[in-house]
Amino acid sequence: MLRVRFAPSPTGYLHIGSARTFLFNWLYVRHNHGTLILRLDDTDVERNTQQSVDSIFDGLNWLGLGWDEYYQQSQRLEIHRQMTQAIFAKGLAYRDFTAASSGDEENNREGGAWLFNPSARDMPRTESDRRAAAGEPFVIRFRVPREPVQDIRFDDAVYGPQSKSTADMEDFALMRSNGMPTYHMASCADDVDLKISHIIRGQDHTSNTFKHVLIFEALGAERPTFAHLPLLIAPDGSKLSKRKHGPAVSVTTYRDAGFLPHAYLNFICLLGWSPKDDREQMTRQELTDAFSFDGINRANATVNFTEEDPFDPKAVWLNAELIRQMPLDELSTELLPFARAAGFAAEPDKMRQVTPLIQERIRLLRDVATVADFFFIERLPPFDKSELIPQKGDAAMALAALLRASEILSTTEFNHQALDTALRAGAQDMKIKPGQMFQPIRVAVCGRKNAPPLFETLEVLGRGTCLNRIGEAIRMLS
RNA sequence: GGCGCUAUCGUCUAACGGUUAGGACAGAGCCCUCUCAAGGCUUAAAUACGGGUUCGAUUCCCGUUAGCGCUACCA
């Protein structure tokens, strides 16, 4: 039975790297028809926050992938304690009464890493028991095998055979002096108890895996298959962090900007994985069908963002592509909340009329605020009247064009074909180019030069609004 | 410092030892066109460096360099 888990720790918002780890777990388990477990690794009482738990669920729910089973580590402490006790009872772990180091000894490491405190590791069991019984605080450390030194090995499904000498491994802690299990212990205990068959996680855990292998063995449990993923890094090569890179690393930033969940998924899936056949835009089903560990790259992937623009251009492109392919009704529904958030009194009917005009002009859903504003607001924001003057024309030409347009628009039927015919005929009468006729009208009606096609725009705006705005522009020029 | 991992266009990536080193995004140019988009076409752009092995290395081996990770009673 194939069982995988995604185990975020609630110490911050849902990170883009975590989202990708979740996605890869999801794809693997759906491809192979297994069970996906969501486990909140919340044993660090000091740093966990409810806000963070909420934000993780926010992000995961937005992605819309779902999971099959849910656990919280903090409610499974008894299991962790029992398993730690079992290791201790076998003599594979020992108590260390040394006070926690303050971390100041960073500098005196020239000779190599700290491995263990001999006085603790070699302390007779009777003395250890006596001091524990006296209430003296201690941590429980794993007794890493040293005589003889051995190589710990595992076969990574992505990186291949890995090995590390126990001479380079410190006696890591399993249980803190406050009685809480460490990450290593809790994680492995739960993986054993939940019968996890594949651990798919970030490559930052590769070095930890040697410790985990030792724990699995000490527990007499079969070790799962490990698959480590390359990390996601910032353009400057450093690892993505909230403090340094801001909202660019948070999943909800993408959601709030108007990314479609699938565009985001498609994007992060391509970071460190490839179907190897040049496909990029893929549906969820196609991704599921194509996913395997073989397609995972071993080098870290850079998420390409800047201080001005927190979004990778490829993610934006993928989103724009998806927007263009969406059925209009669906897109219109998605757009509505973004229009309202921009302060527009947008009605569904109006939104539905506007949608086809902006579909291929927006890249993010929030672009509705800047691209379609003039459809929804009562009064256009002020603009420079020189905008009204067409190419190779002057203010007189603009004025004449607007006066003529005003006449035409008051009599012509308000649909884009009729408007097209009538306005072109008007331009011909005036002996000016169609473009010279259209620009003043467009600016008068939209408040700027760059806008959707003119006749459709006029149609959606309606005769009254068009005439009012053109009248306003005529006053500006007079 | 120690240990581990990694290295192809600016970015994401393809190339089971033999290719004019391919694709995509971003960039540049042209076309289309009522503006903006969208679309079409074209273009520039990479195997980190040095040694091997081989008839032949992007590909295998070694070294250098660089980056990242771990080196906590964080996860």
Side-chain angles (χ1 to χ4, degrees):
Chain A
M1 188 55 188
L2 189 141
R3 291 168 64 82
V4 307
R5 67 358 178 237
F6 170 60
S9 56
T11 53
Y13 50 53
L14 186 65
H15 187 277
I16 184 169
S18 305
R20 191 193 56 161
T21 301
F22 178 65
L23 205 219
F24 283 10
N25 271 283
W26 189 92
L27 290 171
Y28 186 72
V29 84
R30 293 284 100 105
H31 182 103
N32 295 294
H33 310 290
T35 304
L36 174 58
I37 288 147
L38 173 61
R39 191 181 76 204
L40 222 47
D41 277 9
D42 55 352
T43 52
D44 187 357
V45 197
E46 313 277 298
R47 299 202 308 155
N48 294 163
T49 66
Q50 185 56 40
Q51 194 186 7
S52 170
V53 174
D54 295 343
S55 120
I56 287 170
F57 278 101
D58 261 13
L60 293 179
N61 288 330
W62 178 63
L63 296 176
L65 297 175
W67 50 89
D68 305 308
E69 294 175 20
Y70 172 68
Y71 302 93
Q72 264 173 276
Q73 273 196 329
S74 56
Q75 301 191 341
R76 302 169 54 80
L77 296 174
E78 203 41 50
I79 293 167
H80 310 148
R81 284 188 188 123
Q82 278 171 15
M83 292 201 188
T84 311
Q85 198 47 236
I87 294 175
F88 181 76
K90 288 181 193 171
L92 298 173
Y94 61 90
R95 297 189 187 97
D96 184 347
F97 295 91
T98 317
S101 77
S102 53
D104 297 340
E105 316 104 53
E106 293 290 322
N107 318 339
N108 41 8
R109 270 211 196 129
E110 270 93 55
W114 169 88
L115 292 178
F116 59 91
N117 300 324
S119 61
R121 184 173 162 116
D122 301 332
M123 183 181 291
R125 180 63 185 271
T126 47
E127 184 187 347
S128 174
D129 287 347
R130 180 176 52 76
R131 290 171 66 170
E136 208 178 315
F138 58 86
V139 286
I140 295 182
R141 290 187 184 283
F142 193 90
R143 193 185 297 276
V144 174
R146 306 197 180 279
E147 288 160 6
V149 160
Q150 50 179 276
D151 284 337
I152 308 300
R153 300 174 189 281
F154 69 95
D155 217 342
D156 193 283
V158 171
Y159 287 87
Q162 307 288 316
S163 90
K164 182 167 186 160
S165 165
T166 54
D168 296 316
M169 295 172 68
E170 79 282 5
D171 284 359
F172 53 94
L174 300 179
M175 190 70 79
R176 298 184 257 234
S177 54
N178 65 3
M180 290 293 280
T182 61
Y183 157 74
H184 302 297
M185 188 60 225
S187 176
C188 291
D190 279 330
D191 289 337
V192 169
D193 184 69
L194 297 172
K195 300 185 167 51
I196 301 301
S197 62
H198 293 71
I199 296 181
I200 306 167
R201 68 205 336 179
Q203 195 232 71
D204 47 344
H205 286 294
T206 309
S207 319
N208 291 333
T209 303
F210 299 103
K211 298 172 190 168
H212 299 179
V213 166
L214 249 18
I215 297 178
F216 282 114
E217 278 175 3
L219 252 15
E222 198 180 326
R223 72 169 81 153
T225 297
F226 295 96
H228 288 94
L229 271 18
L231 265 20
L232 261 25
I233 57 176
D236 65 5
S238 65
K239 84 173 198 181
L240 295 168
S241 79
K242 178 182 182 177
R243 193 173 46 77
K244 200 166 167 194
H245 305 107
V249 304
S250 168
V251 171
T252 48
T253 302
Y254 284 76
R255 178 197 64 187
D256 298 343
F259 273 84
L260 271 0
H262 184 69
Y264 184 71
L265 252 13
N266 198 157
F267 168 66
I268 58 179
C269 194
L270 260 15
L271 255 19
W273 175 83
S274 151
K276 311 249 184 218
D277 57 9
D278 288 343
R279 279 184 298 167
E280 297 209 300
Q281 284 182 58
M282 297 173 75
T283 63
R284 189 180 286 191
Q285 190 59 49
E286 287 170 335
L287 290 174
T288 305
D289 291 342
F291 189 81
S292 81
F293 292 146
D294 293 339
I296 297 175
N297 199 254
R298 281 181 283 270
N300 292 168
T302 306
V303 182
N304 204 3
F305 59 84
T306 62
E307 217 159 300
E308 305 83 62
D309 184 359
F311 305 120
D312 190 305
K314 196 138 194 177
V316 175
W317 170 74
L318 243 12
N319 202 54
E321 287 284 309
L322 241 43
I323 285 177
R324 279 176 223 125
Q325 291 158 19
M326 272 173 104
L328 289 168
D329 287 328
E330 198 181 314
L331 178 57
S332 184
T333 307
E334 295 292 334
L335 249 16
L336 201 58
F338 283 88
R340 289 187 171 152
F344 305 151
E347 292 306 316
D349 284 352
K350 185 68 173 288
M351 192 69 246
R352 179 61 181 77
Q353 286 183 290
V354 171
T355 300
L357 300 186
I358 64 171
Q359 182 171 32
E360 60 187 32
R361 292 178 173 73
I362 56 174
R363 300 182 305 164
L364 305 177
L365 295 176
R366 73 168 179 203
D367 290 343
V368 68
T370 50
V371 172
D373 55 341
F374 57 86
F375 284 113
F376 298 105
I377 54 183
E378 197 57 34
R379 293 185 66 93
L380 252 23
F383 57 88
D384 196 299
K385 68 178 175 185
S386 66
E387 297 278 292
L388 290 161
I389 298 167
Q391 283 277 303
K392 295 183 183 151
D394 52 19
M397 184 193 280
L399 184 58
L402 288 172
L403 288 167
R404 187 56 183 267
S406 197
E407 285 170 33
I408 294 171
L409 295 187
S410 357
T411 55
T412 309
E413 196 190 336
F414 243 69
N415 70 65
H416 66 273
Q417 283 99 350
L419 291 165
D420 188 330
T421 312
L423 256 11
R424 278 182 198 278
Q428 202 165 16
D429 284 353
M430 295 175 66
K431 301 206 162 42
I432 59 175
K433 290 181 178 167
Q436 293 177 310
M437 177 86 181
F438 302 156
Q439 185 184 326
I441 304 174
R442 174 179 298 110
V443 174
V445 152
C446 303
R448 59 170 170 265
K449 286 180 184 170
N450 300 339
L454 186 59
F455 313 116
E456 287 84 346
T457 301
L458 295 175
E459 186 179 348
V460 171
L461 246 16
R463 197 191 305 269
T465 305
C466 291
L467 255 17
N468 282 344
R469 291 183 183 176
I470 288 173
E472 191 69 35
I474 289 171
R475 274 190 290 283
M476 282 171 73
L477 288 169
S478 304

